[in-house]
Amino acid sequence: MDNEAPTLNPWLTMWTQPRATIQQIVDSDPKRFVLVLAALGGFFEALDRASARSLGDELGLPFIFLIALVAGPIGGLLTLYVGGALIGWTGRWIGGQASYVQIRAAIAWSSVPILWLSLLWIPELLLFGEEMFTTEM
């Protein structure tokens, strides 16, 4: 009988089994989708910040999306690499052994629940449009 653990679907099991999911990703292919996840996470983080700061009071919706489309992925990738280096550096102080590639995989894949929640932007934008980014909202 084969005692191998079942393959986890990281898009779903990140919610319920995050530790096992990250371990599977690190063991199988720690570079898979890392850059895409960081860029997407950065884009949606930029939209969230634009909404929280009521950027729509000063800028139009197309310009807000342009900023999020350009600056968001750059910020996401910076967070991935700088954050990964800092976590690796400080983690070694307390005996951590993960490589920088493994740390970046954990950081990137931990954004999966946030990306699922970001799907809510679609109906919100359809219902409220530019108001999502204004003080009145």
Side-chain angles (χ1 to χ4, degrees):
M1 185 176 259
D2 192 4
N3 290 335
E4 194 171 308
T7 302
L8 301 173
N9 179 343
W11 302 102
L12 301 175
T13 59
M14 190 59 74
W15 290 89
T16 59
Q17 301 174 60
R19 185 177 297 200
T21 302
I22 292 295
Q23 188 64 57
Q24 174 182 289
I25 290 165
V26 165
D27 291 344
S28 62
D29 184 3
K31 293 183 179 181
R32 189 176 101 198
F33 296 125
V34 167
L35 297 178
V36 172
L37 289 168
L40 281 172
F43 170 73
F44 285 111
E45 178 66 27
L47 285 180
D48 281 337
R49 286 184 183 191
S51 179
R53 294 182 182 184
S54 302
L55 207 53
D57 291 344
E58 300 168 20
L59 303 172
L61 190 58
F63 196 63
I64 292 171
F65 268 94
L66 180 63
I67 291 170
L69 194 58
V70 173
I74 292 170
L77 292 171
L78 280 173
T79 299
L80 178 70
Y81 282 95
V82 174
L86 290 173
I87 290 170
W89 181 54
T90 57
R92 300 227 187 312
W93 294 349
I94 58 172
Q97 299 175 1
S99 71
Y100 291 114
V101 170
Q102 293 170 328
I103 292 167
R104 287 192 302 267
I107 291 169
W109 280 95
S110 69
S111 68
V112 166
I114 294 166
L115 293 177
W116 275 109
L117 291 173
S118 295
L119 291 174
L120 294 175
W121 272 99
I122 296 167
E124 287 175 342
L125 285 170
L126 290 173
L127 288 171
F128 304 111
E130 198 166 330
E131 287 183 34
M132 286 292 302
F133 302 95
T134 63
T135 306
E136 291 178 16
M137 187 62 175

